[in-house]
Amino acid sequence: MSDRNGPLRIAAAVLSLALVAGCSSLSGDDEEDKHSLVVGTTSAPTSLDPAAAWDGSWELYRNVFQTLLTIPKNESVPKPDAAGKCGFTDSRSQVYRCTLREGLKFSSGNELDAKAVKHSFDRTRTLNAKSGPATLLNSLDRIETKGKRTVVFHLRKSDATFPFVLSTPAASLVDPEAYPATRLRTEGSLVGSGPYVLESYDEGKRAVLSKNPEYKGAADLKNDSVTIRYFARSSKMVRELKAGRVDITYRGLSPKQITSLQDAETEAENDIELSEMVGSEIHYLVFNPRDPQARRPAVREAIARLIDRKALVRAVYDRTADPLYSMVPTGIAGHTNAFFNKYGDPDRRKARAVLARAGIREKVKLTLWYTTDRYGEATAREFAEIKRQLNASGLFDITVKGRSWGAFQKGYLEGEYPVFGRGWSADFPDADNYIAPFLGNNNAVGTPYENPTLTEQLLPHSRRQSDRAVASRSFARAQRIIADDVRLLPLWQGRVYIASHKEVAGVEWALDPSVIMRVWELHKKSSW
């Protein structure tokens, strides 16, 4: 989850996020209450090790770990964080050099030097965890250190997006003493050098963060501590918000809850503000090439010709989301409506003809899988609506099944599901990050998608373009190919809704362009 442009530039105003912070009980008047915040979210970390997670865990990493670069508020290009300065040293965008700030330390007291930086990157790539972000570092060939404060990254090929990768939690800097090179860390604690220290962690329930007095970086902290509360169901989270025990929520609000908060009339509810922002979180279906039915192009194309996205967002999301016809969402430079251009409006007659030409005359039996506790309570209704649409065509016999996130993730990484639903919040708001993570044999969704035109021609060409407007031409063609293949089927694009008590300030600055909450921007109006 990240971004770019300057030579590269952000095309989306603000992206959807995965975590939000808030304040402790609003009824408290003491100084500690004024500088403490409590957040509610349904997105709990899957791992406390940055080498092991490429998901909503980044929300916690962003605030506890440091990266060499960061994207400041109101900025569109990476700027130094742990680094004092960084830049390409060649004309081909293949050698990138960073010099660290002086006096950096991990929360363990150990020095954060060039060797620790090299260890952090080498470790993630070597461990190559199935659910980890190693793929984001694919352009990296080797790292050399020069003295205690200089790190030089040598890239395999030109990659103008590399500075943006360095600003993501995939590039989190870890203490070599706490994070061994040969195994993932399983302890229930974090050792970082970021704005906060993780004081305590109760898995699936809460994380308590306190201001890191040794932090040296770009963040300007507006509070002293943040407690993040994790909820299995958004209904309980909203009750806690209304009761004043949670002060700001985001991830997991259902359309009904959003509408209810918008229409709130009681005095207690009027203390709550709902902020709506442009979002670029996408949701889509993934087809498993190993499944005997999902691997058939005609089956995938028939589904693409039947899904009614407008009906889906109207019936399930009450217009709090928008239909999506490309893996690259609206608002990102290079977006096209490739799937609409290819397949048009839903058409049962054309879908039937596609199956008939492939010799398929019986109903196609497929099981669609979704996660029950990752994207909010509306997900079950979403998949029920997809099932209804496909079965109503008379061409499919669809079964829908759900699993909790941990089991669901394990299943799709092992290739268990014929078709499954995923959500994606980009690592950085560039078309590259809505296409590249899903390609190749080892990708973010665990289902191989090999297409040499995409991986060997279009993406390498686009990464040589520091001007992302020029790169957009390659992405337009890539979107057409993805629509032809239908290995991925975009469904809808989310909007960002943040519910907070009116006493909470800084919400407008808290979302970085990579859709992650910077909790240090939040504070109570009476405390600043």
Side-chain angles (χ1 to χ4, degrees):
M1 317 160 138
S2 149
D3 102 60
R4 49 192 162 207
N5 188 296
L8 322 170
R9 64 191 191 71
I10 298 178
V14 182
L15 298 185
S16 95
L17 85 87
L19 180 97
V20 182
C23 336
S24 71
S25 176
L26 294 174
S27 60
D29 293 324
D30 55 53
E31 198 64 21
E32 183 177 353
D33 271 348
K34 289 181 180 179
H35 295 284
S36 298
L37 303 163
V38 175
V39 57
T41 178
T42 59
S43 181
T46 57
S47 171
L48 296 187
D49 189 330
W54 192 2
D55 57 23
S57 305
W58 280 21
E59 300 151 9
L60 183 59
Y61 301 164
R62 169 64 77 207
N63 295 284
V64 178
F65 292 104
Q66 206 169 6
T67 48
L68 290 169
L69 300 174
T70 188
I71 309 290
K73 61 187 180 185
N74 275 346
E75 297 279 351
S76 60
V77 295
K79 298 293 175 62
D81 187 13
K85 61 179 180 179
C86 288
F88 283 108
T89 63
D90 66 330
S91 60
R92 299 182 50 161
S93 299
Q94 284 188 254
V95 181
Y96 197 76
R97 179 187 181 112
C98 288
T99 302
L100 296 173
R101 295 177 187 262
E102 293 185 9
L104 294 176
K105 288 185 178 180
F106 292 106
S107 56
S108 61
N110 292 333
E111 184 179 16
L112 197 176
D113 58 10
K115 287 184 179 179
V117 173
K118 184 177 187 301
H119 170 86
S120 300
F121 285 88
D122 287 346
R123 177 177 183 269
T124 296
R125 294 195 301 154
T126 300
L127 291 173
N128 196 23
K130 272 190 174 183
S131 55
T135 300
L136 270 178
L137 305 176
N138 276 349
S139 65
L140 185 56
D141 181 27
R142 61 186 176 87
I143 305 170
E144 65 173 317
T145 60
K146 296 186 176 181
K148 300 196 74 172
R149 293 175 49 219
T150 299
V151 184
V152 182
F153 299 91
H154 296 270
L155 309 183
R156 290 189 176 91
K157 298 178 181 179
S158 300
D159 188 358
T161 73
F162 189 69
F164 294 89
V165 174
L166 293 185
S167 73
T168 74
S172 295
L173 304 178
V174 299
D175 184 351
E177 189 174 290
Y179 295 84
T182 57
R183 68 170 178 84
L184 293 172
R185 179 180 168 90
T186 57
E187 292 84 345
S189 60
L190 296 179
V191 181
S193 60
Y196 295 92
V197 174
L198 181 65
E199 293 288 352
S200 65
Y201 181 72
D202 189 355
E203 185 175 359
K205 294 182 179 179
R206 72 183 64 232
V208 179
L209 311 181
S210 66
K211 187 175 183 177
N212 181 3
E214 300 297 326
Y215 170 69
K216 297 178 186 293
D220 180 15
L221 277 69
K222 302 293 196 299
N223 59 66
D224 291 331
S225 64
V226 175
T227 297
I228 303 167
R229 291 183 59 189
Y230 302 112
F231 294 89
R233 298 184 66 83
S234 59
S235 53
K236 182 177 180 180
M237 179 176 70
V238 172
R239 286 197 301 270
E240 292 292 277
L241 173 72
K242 292 179 178 180
R245 291 183 287 269
V246 165
D247 304 310
I248 182 167
T249 72
Y250 171 68
R251 173 63 67 181
L253 289 175
S254 70
K256 183 178 180 180
Q257 289 161 347
I258 292 168
T259 302
S260 175
L261 290 168
Q262 287 172 331
D263 298 337
E265 294 180 357
T266 68
E267 183 178 346
E269 290 175 327
N270 280 339
D271 180 52
I272 296 173
E273 256 177 355
L274 189 71
S275 302
E276 178 183 337
M277 303 178 189
V278 176
S280 291
E281 177 182 3
I282 68 170
H283 284 245
Y284 56 95
L285 296 179
V286 182
F287 294 88
N288 187 345
R290 299 186 183 96
D291 181 79
Q293 294 285 27
R295 71 187 301 172
R296 304 174 80 173
V299 170
R300 302 196 301 269
E301 181 179 340
I303 292 175
R305 290 190 178 279
L306 290 171
I307 293 290
D308 188 337
R309 296 166 176 83
K310 292 179 182 178
L312 180 66
V313 298
R314 183 173 60 246
V316 178
Y317 291 100
D318 196 20
R319 297 179 174 85
T320 60
D322 298 296
L324 181 63
Y325 298 95
S326 169
M327 291 300 289
V328 179
T330 303
I332 297 295
H335 162 80
T336 69
N337 287 317
F339 277 79
F340 186 83
N341 296 339
K342 173 77 174 179
Y343 303 110
D345 289 320
D347 192 317
R348 177 180 175 276
R349 181 182 58 79
K350 289 182 179 179
R352 179 184 290 277
V354 166
L355 293 174
R357 283 196 297 270
I360 303 171
R361 289 178 169 75
E362 300 295 325
K363 287 185 180 180
V364 178
K365 293 186 177 182
L366 272 177
T367 301
L368 276 55
W369 288 82
Y370 70 96
T371 178
T372 58
D373 58 355
R374 193 67 178 176
Y375 307 122
E377 296 170 22
T379 311
R381 297 197 302 277
E382 175 184 341
F383 275 76
E385 172 63 14
I386 293 172
K387 173 183 175 179
R388 185 198 67 77
Q389 290 184 13
L390 295 178
N391 286 352
S393 72
L395 305 176
F396 286 87
D397 180 3
I398 300 295
T399 301
V400 169
K401 294 184 179 180
R403 281 181 175 172
S404 61
W405 175 251
F408 175 78
Q409 186 180 48
K410 183 175 184 292
Y412 76 68
L413 289 174
E414 293 179 353
E416 184 178 339
Y417 312 137
V419 186
F420 60 95
R422 281 294 313 270
W424 180 257
S425 296
D427 307 297
F428 40 86
D430 184 277
D432 183 282
N433 202 237
Y434 287 96
I435 294 176
F438 309 115
L439 302 179
N441 187 56
N442 181 22
N443 60 42
V445 292
T447 58
Y449 182 4
E450 302 288 355
N451 186 307
T453 302
L454 293 172
T455 57
E456 297 174 18
Q457 296 180 33
L458 295 178
L459 283 180
H461 177 73
S462 71
R463 288 175 174 177
R464 290 193 290 270
Q465 309 301 322
S466 59
D467 184 339
R468 303 314 283 165
V470 175
S472 293
R473 291 195 285 269
S474 294
F475 293 129
R477 185 181 172 199
Q479 288 167 83
R480 291 195 296 271
I481 292 172
I482 291 171
D484 289 342
D485 291 345
V486 202
R487 289 287 308 282
L488 305 160
L489 183 65
L491 297 172
W492 55 270
Q493 174 177 345
R495 301 176 193 171
V496 179
Y497 292 92
I498 300 174
S500 63
H501 286 275
K502 291 181 179 178
E503 193 178 357
V504 179
V507 174
E508 68 273 26
W509 304 117
L511 304 187
D512 75 4
S514 58
V515 307
I516 299 175
M517 173 63 75
R518 300 177 284 211
V519 301
W520 60 80
E521 295 287 355
L522 296 163
H523 59 93
K524 292 183 180 178
K525 294 174 183 177
S526 60
S527 71
W528 200 251

